Amino acid sequence: MKKTIIEAIESYDTIFLYRHEKPDPDALGSQIGLALLITHNYPNKTVIAKGEMDDSFSFLVSEEAYRYRETEVQEDALVIVLDTANTERIDGDGWNSGKQLIKIDHHPEVEDYGDVMWVDTKASSTSEMILALAMEGKESKGWEWTTEAARLLYAGIVGDTGRFQFSNTTPTTLRLAAEALEYPFDTTELFTHFYENSEALIRLKGRVLLDFELTKNGLGIAYLTQQTLKEYGVTANESSAVVNAFANTEGLKAWVFFVEEEDGTYRVRLRSKGPVIHTIAEKHNGGGHPMAAGAKVKDEAEMKEIIRELNEKCAEVV
Ligand SMILES: [Mn+2]
C-alpha cells in the first residue's frame, strides 16, 4: 500500500492535501508533514494544503501553510485526504474534483471513499502512518526528511497518544517516533505549548472539577453552558482543553461533556477507559474512536438519552 501511494505521489505534478475540520495536532501534523516531505523530495511538484486554521495551533503550523487554500482542484491532480473517516468531515470543497483520490486514515471505517484507501486502525495516528510512509520513501526512493516534517509528525503522534500514554501506543508507534526524534527539533518547547493553558482555562478546569457528576456505574458527566463559558471567557472550541480534567478519578469508566453552542444545541465530547463509546456517538450525529468520540445533540431529551446509553455501557464493563 505504501509503495502504491508513493508511486501515485510520483506520478502527479499537483497534489492537494485535505484533512478533517476542526483540526487536531494529528490532522495538522500528518497533512503539513506530508506536504513538506513531498515538496522537499520533489521540488517541482505543487502541493496545496486545504482547510481552515485554528489559532490555538499556531505553535504547530502557521497560517502560511494554508496560503494557497483557495486554489481550485484541477481535474488532473492527485487528492489525498488525511485523518478523516467520512467525507462529511473533510475541511474544504473540491476534494472529489481531482483525477485520483487517496484516503489515509486510522479511524474505524465509517465510510469507504477514494480510489485507494489505506486505513490502519492499529496505527495510533495518521501521523504515525505518514512516518511509516516516509520510512518506505527513505528506503526505496532515498527520501530525505526535514526537521520540520519530523517535528510535525512527532507532534501528531503525541497528540493522538496523549504523550504515549493511551492504549493505542504500540512498539511501532515508539519506533517511528524515535525515527522522528533523530531530527533536532525542540521537544521541550513542543510539550510546553501542547499542555500550556490560559489562566481562563485553568480556572474553568477548577469549576469542572468541582461540579462534575459521577454515577454509580462509573460515568462522569460535565455540563458547560453558554453562561459558564461566558463567565470564564472560554469558547466552546477552547473548552476541549479541559476534557480530561477528572480523567483520573477512581472508579471512572467513561465520561461525557455537554458543551452548549451559541444556538442552544450541544456538542458532546465522549471519552472512555474501557466501554466502547463511538457507537453511541454515531447514533447522535457523530463518530470517532472506540475510546474518544464526539457527537451533537439538539435538546435535553437527547442529552438524557446519551447519558442513559453511556450508563448502560458502563454497567456492562467491570
Ligand atoms: Mn488522528
Side-chain angles (χ1 to χ4, degrees), residues 20 24 26-27 83 105-107 124-127 160 289:
H20 62 77
D24 55 16
D26 184 35
D83 201 38
D105 188 29
H106 70 120
H107 293 85
S124 67
S125 50
T126 304
S127 296
D160 270 21
H289 301 276

Side-chain angles (χ1 to χ4, degrees), residues 115-132:
D115 308 301
V116 174
M117 280 190 288
W118 181 27
V119 176
D120 181 0
T121 54
K122 291 199 174 66
S124 67
S125 50
T126 304
S127 296
E128 177 183 323
M129 295 173 73
I130 298 303
L131 273 173

Side-chain angles (χ1 to χ4, degrees), residues 57-302:
F57 290 119
S58 56
F59 71 90
L60 206 57
V61 171
S62 73
E63 189 69 33
E64 266 289 284
Y66 294 93
R67 64 192 179 282
Y68 302 119
R69 71 159 70 90
E70 302 300 340
T71 311
E72 284 194 21
V73 178
Q74 302 100 312
E75 51 187 31
D76 59 351
L78 171 66
V79 175
I80 303 178
V81 181
L82 299 136
D83 201 38
T84 312
N86 48 328
T87 53
E88 205 191 340
R89 291 203 70 210
I90 299 174
D91 193 356
D93 299 326
W95 54 271
N96 51 358
S97 309
K99 187 162 182 201
Q100 193 183 353
L101 179 65
I102 298 179
K103 174 191 189 184
I104 303 179
D105 188 29
H106 70 120
H107 293 85
E109 196 89 52
V110 176
E111 180 188 346
D112 281 359
Y113 66 87
D115 308 301
V116 174
M117 280 190 288
W118 181 27
V119 176
D120 181 0
T121 54
K122 291 199 174 66
S124 67
S125 50
T126 304
S127 296
E128 177 183 323
M129 295 173 73
I130 298 303
L131 273 173
L133 186 78
M135 282 300 284
E136 176 64 37
K138 213 180 219 180
E139 282 156 15
S140 65
K141 302 286 181 184
W143 279 17
E144 289 174 7
W145 298 8
T146 66
T147 299
E148 184 57 8
R151 184 181 80 99
L152 286 167
L153 295 168
Y154 183 84
I157 295 179
V158 166
D160 270 21
T161 62
R163 284 179 277 188
F164 308 105
Q165 290 179 62
F166 302 156
S167 58
N168 59 2
T169 308
T170 67
T172 305
T173 314
L174 293 173
R175 279 188 200 108
L176 288 167
E179 291 294 335
L181 266 184
E182 294 287 345
Y183 293 79
F185 57 89
D186 189 339
T187 50
T188 307
E189 197 201 346
L190 189 65
F191 281 121
T192 303
H193 282 299
F194 246 95
Y195 298 100
E196 191 175 64
N197 284 151
S198 63
E199 183 186 345
L201 271 168
I202 297 288
R203 298 207 183 275
L204 179 67
K205 196 185 220 176
R207 171 74 176 263
V208 167
L209 289 174
L210 286 172
D211 289 353
F212 81 96
E213 298 166 18
L214 183 61
T215 71
K216 64 176 189 333
N217 292 334
L219 175 68
I221 307 162
Y223 301 91
L224 293 174
T225 61
Q226 274 292 316
Q227 193 190 340
T228 305
L229 291 172
K230 288 203 174 106
E231 187 184 327
Y232 285 83
V234 171
T235 66
N237 264 340
E238 290 164 348
S239 73
S240 66
V242 303
V243 75
N244 291 321
F246 53 84
N248 296 324
T249 309
E250 188 179 7
L252 184 74
K253 292 178 189 166
W255 63 102
V256 57
F257 271 72
F258 294 103
V259 184
E260 191 180 4
E261 306 274 11
E262 301 259 349
D263 66 1
T265 63
Y266 282 79
R267 78 169 74 171
V268 188
R269 300 188 176 114
L270 303 140
R271 297 292 183 274
S272 174
K273 296 182 179 183
V276 170
I277 42 93
H278 73 291
T279 44
I280 294 176
E282 281 164 14
K283 279 195 262 177
H284 299 275
N285 260 304
H289 301 276
M291 301 293 125
K296 283 173 195 162
V297 299
K298 51 186 187 315
D299 54 26
E300 224 163 283
E302 196 176 0

